[in-house]
Amino acid sequence: MNGPNLNLLGQRQPEIYGHESLADVGEACAALASDLHLTVRFHQSNHEGVLVDWIQEAREQGAGIVINPGAFSHTSVAILDALNAFDGPVLEVHISNIHKREAFRHHSFVSQRAEGVIAGFGTEGYLLALRRMANLLGVK
Ligand code: DHK
């Protein structure tokens, strides 16, 4: 699950977020998921409430959540509350190393819910998170 502005991946601040598009990342995740015997739904929204709705849907339809909440990481109690209502594992991904950036990016509300956090590994972080998710779910 991807939050705001990640639809512009590859176009916005490539020196920070890289040159790959979100569609490229989605394709790479789908290919790895197939190797790991996982089914992945890959979503992006610029809207906090839509992300909350998808997290709530995952209560019925998802075993685990890998989320890059974008800027909502640093602001959204609503996303944290929704994740706290989800029973499965949650992994948080940030493409950039948020700890090396502005102070307002150093805190993430989601991190207190996440089993693990990946930051600064570029888009490879999504693939690392998927591998970890397969282990946490005991698949493969
Ligand atoms: C993405 C964003 O859009 C920022 O608002 C976060 C995160 C960092 C990332 O590194 O993927 O602060």
Side-chain angles (χ1 to χ4, degrees):
M1 216 173 279
N2 292 281
N5 299 305
L6 288 161
N7 55 313
L8 296 180
L9 202 61
Q11 300 170 50
R12 85 159 163 151
Q13 297 180 280
E15 67 287 1
I16 295 176
Y17 298 107
H19 292 275
E20 255 187 310
S21 71
L22 195 63
D24 294 334
V25 178
E27 280 170 28
C29 286
L32 177 63
S34 150
D35 290 349
L36 295 171
H37 306 290
L38 288 175
T39 302
V40 171
R41 289 195 197 162
F42 196 84
H43 295 303
Q44 187 275 333
S45 178
N46 291 327
H47 305 280
E48 186 175 19
V50 173
L51 293 162
V52 168
D53 287 344
W54 286 340
I55 294 165
Q56 290 188 11
E57 278 172 30
R59 284 162 49 84
E60 306 296 328
Q61 297 166 18
I65 296 176
V66 175
I67 185 166
N68 181 349
F72 291 145
S73 316
H74 320 300
T75 62
S76 181
V77 175
I79 288 175
L80 172 62
D81 284 351
L83 290 169
N84 278 332
F86 175 76
D87 285 335
V90 173
L91 298 175
E92 179 180 0
V93 173
H94 302 283
I95 296 166
S96 64
N97 181 357
I98 54 175
H99 301 290
K100 205 180 167 190
R101 300 181 63 192
E102 303 96 321
F104 64 81
R105 295 185 203 273
H106 295 178
H107 175 262
S108 164
F109 284 97
V110 170
S111 297
Q112 67 188 269
R113 167 62 183 87
E115 271 65 35
V117 181
I118 294 174
F121 285 68
T123 53
E124 194 183 343
Y126 288 80
L127 304 178
L128 297 170
L130 271 189
R131 289 188 186 282
R132 179 66 182 151
M133 185 58 76
N135 286 339
L136 290 171
L137 295 174
V139 293
K140 189 133 205 259

